[in-house]
Amino acid sequence: MTPTRTQHAVLDRPGPGPRVSDDMTVEVALSLMAGARVDHLVLCDGDEQRTGLVTLAGLAVLRDSSAYTDRLRLRDVVSLAR
């Protein structure tokens, strides 16, 4: 007898990576990504709606640029990219 796999419907699929608030600072996001060992984060607004995606490589480049400050928020990074 072969086992069967049951698939359950997922109403709120979390997306392709950890979901974080878009008001998080770049420095905290980099720390979180290092701890979670992920290469990207899905950004969400206060209503848990997806607002963008940031990558570890993109944030590392930004941190090394002259535009970086320790107060820079992820929502600012997404708006800079547009």
Side-chain angles (χ1 to χ4, degrees), residues 6 10 12 14-16 19-20 31 34 36 42-43 48-50 52 57 60-62 74-75 77 79 82:
T6 305
V10 178
D12 183 23
R19 295 168 66 102
V20 297
S31 178
V42 177
L43 306 182
E48 294 297 317
Q49 297 298 311
R50 182 180 167 158
V61 167
L62 176 67
L74 294 177
R75 74 169 63 106
V77 172
S79 65
R82 289 182 185 159

Side-chain angles (χ1 to χ4, degrees), residues 7-81:
Q7 293 182 343
H8 300 281
V10 178
L11 298 177
D12 183 23
R13 182 155 275 170
R19 295 168 66 102
V20 297
S21 175
D22 63 2
D23 69 346
M24 181 181 288
T25 64
V26 169
E27 205 60 39
V28 171
L30 287 167
S31 178
L32 176 80
M33 292 168 93
R37 296 183 180 173
V38 297
D39 64 351
H40 67 279
L41 297 172
V42 177
L43 306 182
C44 298
D45 62 14
D47 295 327
E48 294 297 317
Q49 297 298 311
R50 182 180 167 158
T51 59
L53 183 108
V54 294
T55 64
L56 179 59
L59 293 181
V61 167
L62 176 67
R63 186 176 60 183
D64 293 337
S65 76
S66 62
Y68 177 76
T69 72
D70 62 351
R71 295 183 181 183
L72 192 61
R73 306 260 176 207
L74 294 177
R75 74 169 63 106
D76 301 328
V77 172
V78 173
S79 65
L80 288 174

